[in-house]
Amino acid sequence: MNTAATTPTDEHADSHDHEHHDPRLAHHFDSHQQQFDTGKLGIWLFLVTEVLFFSGLFGFYAVYRSLHPEVFLYASQFLDTVLGAANTIVLLFSSLTMAWGVRCAQLGQTKGLLTCLVITLACAAIFLGVKSFEYTEKAHHGLLWAGMYQSPEHHEAAAVPAAAGAVESGDHGAAHADDHSDDALFEKTKHTLSYMTTVLWAVILLSGIGLAALFKNPNQKTMAAVLGCVLISAIGLQLGAYASIGYHHFGHAAEPTAQEIEMAETVPAEYAKQKEKIPEPKLAGTFFSVYFCMTGLHAIHIIGGMIAISWLIVRTVHGAFTTYYFGAVDFIGLYWHLVDLIWIYLFPLLYLIN
Amino acid sequence: MSDHAESDSHAENPQSCHVHIVPVKVLVGVFLALVALTVLTVEAAKFDVGSADVIVSMAIATVKASLVVFIFMHLWYDKPVNKIAFFFSIVFAAFFLCMILLDSHAYDDYVQGYQQDKAPAVTAPAAPAPVPAPTPEAPEPAKK
Amino acid sequence: MATVVDSSDPKSNYPIQYRELNYLNCSKGWKSWFFTLDHKRIGIMYLMGVTVSFFLGGLFAMLLRTELLSPAKILMGPDTYNQMFTLHGAIMTFLVIIPGVPAAIGNIILPVMLGAKDVAFPRMNLGSFYLWMFGATFFLAALVIGGLDTGWTFYTPYSVRENNASIIAALLGVFVLGFSSIFTGLNFIVTIHTMRPPGMTWFKMPLFLWALYATALIQILATPVLGITGLLLIVENVFRIGIFDPSLGGDPVLFQHFFWFYSHPAVYVMILPAMGVISEVIAVHSRKHIFGYRFIAYSSIAIAIFGFLVWGHHMFVSGQSKVVAVIFSAITFSVSIPSAIKVFNWLTTMYKGSIRFTTAMCYGLSFLFIFAIGGLTGLFLATLATDVHLHDTYFVVAHFHYVMMGSSLMGLFAAVHHWWPKISGKMFSEFWGRIACLGVFLGFNLTFFPQFMLGTRGMPRRYYTYLPEFQELHVLSSMGAYLLGISSALMVATLVYSIYRGKKAPANPWGGASLEWQCSSPPPHNNFDHPPLAGDPYVMESVVYNEEIGGFVPAECQGDNNGSGTAAGEKEV
């Protein structure tokens, strides 16, 4: 979204030279105020398109929930409310630091801005870590989109050897045939999780390389900043993932108290408890289609936001932002808040169906 | 349509940028309010209030969203044109949702009829066992 | 021919007509084009891309019409036929008409008309061009892979099946092209909002800018929904998520809602800029102030807003609920109000003007004729009962070709001829231009008028073969298509010839009063040395014809010695 000249040279507020040579002012603007207003309107219109982009998914949700309310009621029990709520708070906190960062940028406090951006980036990574755990866990239980969905009843069936034939899907049926015990499940979760986090690591690394390639005349400072961003993202990711594993394990302690079970509404326990109450409806997989589409697209936006924030960090390290040129921080901040905003709606819509 | 950024405003010092700066106290306060609302919505979901459930959680989400939009995103202090732009996106998204929702039940009868026609053929000897009700006429919870 | 005032001529008190150094030659090498941030060069690249796509789509149309000369097989089998009409529709819609006026002509003209140096986000502008190229590549891939036979609407369940690489490629193309369109629209809105010159209030903007603004509103608000629809359909094809696929509990009619929520407004993305062009062309070539400026401006916005509320009229027979159908039918009728307001205002603008039948004006008049027919037949289709009869017949085909092909492309052709001297700095041959226009007009009507008759007699659209009694009309239609194709080629040839052999164009050959005629032809890299002062863009008296220059100059430059304007039309005013 940034339109200004990107020369990241450090010229402080003392640049009283001729205004047409101001590298921070693009040639077709008259003043910084005009440049800022233009960018601001641009980013708001971009957010408008984002809202409408997501509205298609909300339409998907609304239509299917109104057509098949029982599916949503049944399937949302498999989503872990505590993890969802924790993630919400992580994202809200990142929103706070982002807003604070914008304030720092407006006041010209470079150090404060850098701190805020780093925390924001770390929170985003933690969010992704938790999400990758949730995805892994869903995949293990066969709770996938409609085309791949496997009824949890298959786990029950698999427990009884005679009913092994009931498992129809080739790839996943085999993986699920013997994982009824919780411990085996955790081993597998950890295993797949390492696989998933590797993928995300690769994404982060590739983005980092791409980002570094994007800068003209990179110097050591640039490289160090990009490397730092990659590290922060990776550590945050692992932190998020292992925190959720730990939480999950805690929820499945050897003798879980009633309170713990209630707190950790996780799949097998909850399913065992409730399957008498709610029979599995047809089309239960549709819920997971909605779930994966919405959270997946949201996660892609998070990754995009992380790249943008890393770019901001590198430019902040170079001291590119001043009291009259901070548009980029503000605009990426607005984008980040919108991503947060969408999650604010996704959380109750997906996790809190009663 | 509001006219902003007219010529008079950018004739002055080109190295200034007038914006509203939100105090830290307000930022932290908003964050705490958001956390409190998150906890509230989780707690509220534990009570079974029937179809009002969605309304309650959506209302809380909207309060949270407004806090983010108006304070974190500075929309409260922003130019009218940005407010209008964002407002219109919500209006259009809502209109889109309303129209497709209004229409999504239009073919319930056909689907039901089709299934009732088909059901006896498949499970004819079984009894007048009710159709497995994949499209129940149950009153769907009021949607957002 | 008169002399052309050069930038090196200090004696002249006329505005500079021609500069040695202009945007076309200020830098050289392929890099200076492919990585340019100059809106004019980007617009030129769009124009070339659109032209190539137009002839590709046109070639398909010729082949289709050839096949339809007889009910038996002539060139291709039914499967190829299906693929060909799909590609014809998809290429013409997504690659030609949608970017035609806004992205190509709008990019070149909008900032100049605003007196700005560039659009608000030049890099994003270049990016959206590359997105366009990227999307076009996906379409080519779909063409090469083969097997795309869903129709350009990608209706489910046709578009959800095995072995669907070409469907996925085409959908990716649509997705990417959607974002290209969004970014262009975003750029235009921001540019119009924040970069107007001193003196240009909203109601002193040329109407072409109003039209582009309304278009950009639609692009911003509707295209994202197309993006998500395309994305969901891709995901449906790859992962089978069961949103649109009935075999997984999906709802195929939901797809139609999603699709038409964009694609109906997209019809106005196609027609609104053309209407804006016509407002300019008719006023300038009639040498008269536009009649009902505010009404035309407001009606552009009204069409944009109404355009959102009518998508359901594509689905009258798709199983949509009766309530919704009635609502959509009623709103569809009301779209005709702003459209008619525009037509009446154009007609009244011409009334007692001094009309010059230049090529651009000829295309403008063709637009009025064709748009009237296209618009009025739309009313038949908006009527619920008639639509049930006419749905999916050639009547619909003829109707939307009259509106989308006839009107939008007439607008594009008018725009190209109107601004050609400004874009290329050369005058084209009016004689050959008019011949081409006549050929396009006759060919177009010959092609599509018989299709109205075919449709009312029950010939369904998209059919490979037909009953023998339809053959005469089909042959007539095919003949028209050939004439249309040849005439379009003649038009392009005339224009290309002018680049090499045309006379140098003066800054203001037609006597327009808006800002783009104030800079030299072709404009310099930065368009204007100083931000120009904008007045009323339709006071044609502010410029008078100058024999010496061969174009129009501001009235105050003409001085007292030369007396009043000497253009043929001036005396009648």
Side-chain angles (χ1 to χ4, degrees):
Chain A
M1 269 318 99
N2 174 54
T3 59
T6 44
T7 0
T9 47
D10 187 16
E11 286 180 291
H12 238 283
D14 59 349
S15 57
H16 281 296
D17 47 13
H18 199 259
E19 57 194 72
H20 286 293
H21 298 305
D22 187 344
R24 294 191 177 98
L25 186 60
H27 80 285
H28 55 291
F29 293 117
D30 297 334
S31 66
H32 281 285
Q33 184 74 48
Q34 189 194 13
Q35 175 167 302
F36 177 78
D37 288 338
T38 305
K40 188 107 172 179
L41 181 60
I43 188 70
W44 272 108
L45 289 178
F46 179 70
L47 298 189
V48 166
T49 68
E50 286 284 352
V51 168
L52 282 150
F53 192 64
F54 272 95
S55 79
L57 285 175
F58 283 105
F60 181 15
Y61 178 94
V63 165
Y64 284 91
R65 183 156 175 190
S66 92
L67 284 176
H68 308 293
E70 77 286 355
V71 166
F72 283 72
L73 198 58
Y74 168 80
S76 78
Q77 63 177 309
F78 298 116
L79 298 188
D80 192 325
T81 311
V82 174
L83 283 182
N87 244 354
T88 309
I89 288 169
V90 167
L91 216 48
L92 287 175
F93 186 69
S94 81
S95 235
L96 167 71
T97 53
M98 194 73 226
W100 201 328
V102 171
R103 181 193 143 85
C104 289
Q106 289 167 336
L107 295 171
Q109 302 162 340
T110 308
K111 268 188 190 165
L113 172 61
L114 193 60
T115 318
C116 287
L117 288 177
V118 167
I119 297 176
T120 312
L121 185 64
C123 285
I126 292 175
F127 179 89
L128 276 188
V130 176
K131 209 85 216 115
S132 69
F133 168 78
E134 287 191 81
Y135 276 21
T136 310
E137 195 219 357
K138 297 286 163 301
H140 268 281
H141 294 293
L143 300 170
L144 290 167
W145 49 88
M148 299 268 281
Y149 178 76
Q150 271 193 310
S151 163
E153 281 162 23
H154 284 166
H155 302 295
E156 302 280 307
V160 186
V167 181
E168 39 194 82
S169 165
D171 318 334
H172 289 259
H176 279 286
D178 59 341
D179 68 353
H180 189 57
S181 82
D182 281 354
D183 282 339
L185 187 64
F186 288 129
E187 287 313 308
K188 277 210 169 55
T189 309
K190 263 186 214 159
H191 182 69
T192 319
L193 195 62
S194 67
Y195 173 73
M196 263 199 85
T197 41
T198 315
V199 172
L200 279 172
W201 264 81
V203 170
I204 288 169
L205 271 177
L206 281 179
S207 319
I209 293 166
L211 192 61
L214 212 75
F215 283 97
K216 288 174 196 155
N217 319 318
N219 54 19
Q220 267 188 330
K221 227 173 170 182
T222 318
M223 287 306 165
V226 172
L227 198 66
C229 293
V230 170
L231 274 180
I232 293 163
S233 314
I235 293 171
L237 191 70
Q238 295 290 354
L239 196 70
Y242 282 101
S244 3
I245 289 197
Y247 157 76
H248 198 258
H249 215 297
F250 174 66
H252 283 264
E255 294 109 15
T257 63
Q259 194 192 2
E260 276 169 344
I261 289 180
E262 220 168 62
M263 190 178 69
E265 294 175 14
T266 47
V267 180
E270 195 62 14
Y271 175 71
K273 208 174 78 179
Q274 288 206 342
K275 72 170 172 159
E276 258 69 59
K277 291 185 206 159
I278 312 173
E280 185 189 29
K282 252 187 180 180
L283 303 176
T286 306
F287 175 83
F288 292 99
S289 297
V290 175
Y291 171 79
F292 281 106
C293 283
M294 287 182 123
T295 57
L297 194 65
H298 181 258
I300 289 171
H301 277 81
I302 296 258
I303 293 173
M306 285 168 71
I307 295 172
I309 291 169
S310 309
W311 178 77
L312 281 184
I313 290 178
V314 176
R315 292 199 63 196
T316 311
V317 167
H318 284 100
F321 301 115
T322 68
T323 48
Y324 59 87
Y325 176 64
F326 55 85
V329 184
D330 199 357
F331 307 150
I332 291 175
L334 286 177
Y335 168 82
W336 190 251
H337 294 309
L338 187 88
V339 174
D340 184 23
L341 204 67
I342 288 165
W343 184 258
I344 285 177
Y345 279 100
L346 288 189
F347 171 60
L349 283 178
L350 293 171
Y351 289 76
L352 303 177
I353 303 171
N354 200 344
Chain B
M1 299 295 144
S2 80
D3 278 13
H4 65 91
E6 276 305 321
S7 51
D8 51 311
S9 70
H10 44 85
E12 37 181 278
N13 179 16
Q15 288 209 333
S16 65
C17 222
H18 301 291
V19 286
H20 183 267
I21 300 176
V22 187
V24 173
K25 266 185 196 168
V26 176
L27 291 179
V28 175
V30 168
F31 171 68
L32 292 177
L34 288 170
V35 172
L37 285 170
T38 307
V39 174
L40 177 69
T41 191
V42 172
E43 291 304 316
K46 286 181 184 162
F47 295 100
D48 191 4
V49 282
S51 58
D53 197 36
V54 181
I55 298 170
V56 169
S57 64
M58 282 298 100
I60 295 176
T62 304
V63 172
K64 286 165 74 180
S66 315
L67 280 175
V68 171
V69 168
F70 285 127
I71 309 296
F72 280 177
M73 297 168 92
H74 306 125
L75 195 62
W76 189 262
Y77 318 100
D78 217 324
K79 292 194 162 57
V81 63
N82 296 340
K83 287 183 192 169
I84 291 170
F86 195 68
F87 173 74
F88 258 83
S89 76
I90 306 288
V91 168
F92 268 84
F95 174 74
F96 176 51
L97 289 188
C98 286
M99 282 319 249
I100 56 176
L101 269 182
L102 190 60
D103 198 44
S104 65
H105 289 277
Y107 13 91
D108 275 2
D109 291 344
Y110 302 113
V111 174
Q112 207 114 40
Y114 170 75
Q115 251 143 11
Q116 266 155 8
D117 287 348
K118 214 177 67 170
V122 178
T123 59
V131 187
T135 54
E137 272 177 319
E140 74 285 358
K143 285 306 321 339
K144 52 174 274 202
Chain C
M1 170 57 198
T3 53
V4 165
V5 180
D6 200 288
S7 58
S8 55
D9 183 2
K11 283 173 293 185
S12 167
N13 64 340
Y14 298 125
I16 299 165
Q17 303 286 311
Y18 173 76
R19 290 171 204 256
E20 282 306 325
L21 206 61
N22 53 51
Y23 82 99
L24 289 167
N25 60 13
C26 66
S27 52
K28 288 206 158 49
W30 65 273
K31 272 191 184 170
S32 75
W33 281 86
F34 282 86
F35 297 110
T36 183
L37 296 182
D38 182 4
H39 66 96
K40 301 181 283 301
R41 288 190 167 194
I42 294 172
I44 297 263
M45 292 196 284
Y46 263 122
L47 197 58
M48 292 200 250
V50 166
T51 310
V52 171
S53 313
F54 173 66
F55 279 101
L56 186 64
L59 180 70
F60 288 144
M62 299 287 145
L63 294 174
L64 289 171
R65 284 313 324 172
T66 307
E67 176 56 47
L68 287 170
L69 279 172
S70 117
K73 177 180 172 178
I74 293 181
L75 285 177
M76 58 187 111
D79 284 336
T80 322
Y81 177 85
N82 287 350
Q83 295 179 21
M84 207 153 268
F85 77 66
T86 301
L87 278 165
H88 165 73
I91 288 178
M92 283 298 197
T93 317
F94 292 115
L95 291 177
V96 180
I97 318 178
I98 289 180
V101 182
I105 302 294
N107 246 321
I108 302 174
I109 296 303
L110 176 134
V112 193
M113 246 183 181
L114 275 178
K117 287 178 181 162
D118 210 324
V119 290
F121 308 113
R123 257 174 247 186
M124 199 162 85
N125 200 14
L126 182 66
S128 68
F129 172 70
Y130 278 107
L131 283 178
W132 185 87
M133 289 284 279
F134 200 48
T137 317
F138 276 117
F139 267 106
L140 282 183
L143 176 66
V144 172
I145 299 167
L148 179 70
D149 58 356
T150 57
W152 77 278
T153 48
F154 300 103
Y155 272 8
T156 47
Y158 301 133
S159 54
V160 182
R161 56 163 176 234
E162 307 294 318
N163 297 328
N164 44 17
S166 70
I167 295 175
I168 293 175
L171 284 169
L172 276 172
V174 170
F175 180 73
V176 171
L177 287 172
F179 275 88
S180 161
S181 178
I182 289 174
F183 288 139
T184 304
L186 200 160
N187 228 331
F188 285 0
I189 290 194
V190 176
T191 310
I192 290 174
H193 263 282
T194 59
M195 298 181 73
R196 276 174 288 127
M200 189 184 283
T201 56
W202 280 95
F203 288 103
K204 282 188 180 167
M205 284 199 316
L207 286 166
F208 183 53
L209 296 185
W210 270 103
L212 283 179
Y213 187 81
T215 309
L217 280 182
I218 302 175
Q219 285 175 317
I220 281 196
L221 289 169
T223 319
V225 177
L226 176 77
I228 193 69
T229 311
L231 201 61
L232 281 173
L233 196 51
I234 293 170
V235 175
E236 175 79 279
N237 266 308
V238 176
F239 296 114
R240 305 186 36 74
I241 55 169
I243 168 170
F244 300 133
D245 185 356
S247 67
L248 290 167
D251 182 352
V253 183
L254 186 65
F255 174 80
Q256 298 189 17
H257 275 297
F258 273 53
F259 182 80
W260 289 114
F261 182 80
Y262 164 74
S263 290
H264 191 76
V267 172
Y268 297 100
V269 171
M270 302 170 203
I271 192 72
L272 267 174
M275 290 170 158
V277 170
I278 299 306
S279 305
E280 296 298 315
V281 166
I282 289 202
V284 169
H285 294 267
S286 304
R287 304 281 306 132
K288 191 160 163 257
H289 194 286
I290 190 91
F291 186 87
Y293 175 92
R294 281 187 183 236
F295 279 95
I296 298 183
Y298 282 134
S299 65
S300 291
I301 303 296
I303 288 177
I305 292 171
F306 278 133
F308 277 100
L309 315 179
V310 298
W311 80 83
H313 67 219
H314 294 268
M315 301 164 55
F316 284 159
V317 298
S318 301
Q320 163 179 263
S321 67
K322 292 184 191 75
V323 184
V324 174
V326 170
I327 294 173
F328 278 129
S329 173
I331 307 177
T332 305
F333 281 119
S334 54
V335 180
S336 62
I337 298 169
S339 312
I341 286 175
K342 278 175 184 283
V343 173
F344 294 144
N345 279 314
W346 292 324
L347 291 176
T348 326
T349 303
M350 287 196 289
Y351 178 67
K352 285 195 177 174
S354 47
I355 299 168
R356 289 163 301 166
F357 289 98
T358 53
T359 313
M361 186 64 172
C362 289
Y363 279 112
L365 294 174
S366 315
F367 173 94
L368 286 185
F369 184 83
I370 289 172
F371 180 69
I373 295 179
L376 289 174
T377 49
L379 291 178
F380 302 179
L381 295 171
T383 317
L384 279 169
T386 343
D387 184 70
V388 173
H389 176 63
L390 293 174
H391 190 89
D392 269 349
T393 65
Y394 264 61
F395 192 88
V396 178
V397 175
H399 160 69
F400 73 70
H401 277 92
Y402 261 85
V403 180
M404 283 162 63
M405 192 274 158
S407 308
S408 300
L409 279 184
M410 288 298 164
L412 176 62
F413 294 167
V416 169
H417 285 91
H418 183 61
W419 281 301
W420 187 258
K422 186 58 64 186
I423 296 170
S424 69
K426 295 292 170 61
M427 301 298 284
F428 54 88
S429 158
E430 285 287 337
F431 174 75
W432 286 110
R434 274 177 245 180
I435 295 282
C437 176
L438 185 68
V440 168
F441 180 73
L442 291 180
F444 176 82
N445 282 297
L446 189 58
T447 312
F448 294 107
F449 207 83
Q451 296 191 1
F452 279 126
M453 297 191 250
L454 284 171
T456 43
R457 292 181 194 178
M459 170 78 206
R461 69 191 280 203
R462 293 179 172 173
Y463 271 32
Y464 172 69
T465 184
Y466 49 83
L467 298 174
E469 63 255 38
F470 292 135
Q471 186 162 15
E472 275 173 34
L473 288 170
H474 268 299
V475 170
L476 216 54
S477 179
S478 298
M479 292 303 151
Y482 299 140
L483 179 57
L484 180 56
I486 293 168
S487 311
S488 322
L490 176 64
M491 177 197 78
V492 173
T494 307
L495 291 176
V496 172
Y497 181 80
S498 79
I499 296 177
Y500 298 103
R501 296 288 168 82
K503 298 181 292 195
K504 268 183 187 167
N508 191 353
W510 316 124
S514 44
L515 290 182
E516 83 270 26
W517 303 111
Q518 287 185 20
C519 66
S520 55
S521 295
H525 179 66
N526 274 342
N527 301 343
F528 296 97
D529 298 328
H530 308 287
L533 205 64
D536 188 323
Y538 293 106
V539 181
M540 300 302 166
E541 293 76 28
S542 67
V543 289
V544 288
Y545 190 75
N546 184 304
E547 289 283 0
E548 191 190 349
I549 284 172
F552 288 74
V553 292
E556 60 268 23
C557 293
Q558 188 81 319
D560 302 319
N561 46 349
N562 281 25
S564 59
T566 48
E570 282 299 301
K571 290 164 195 144
E572 294 169 19
V573 173

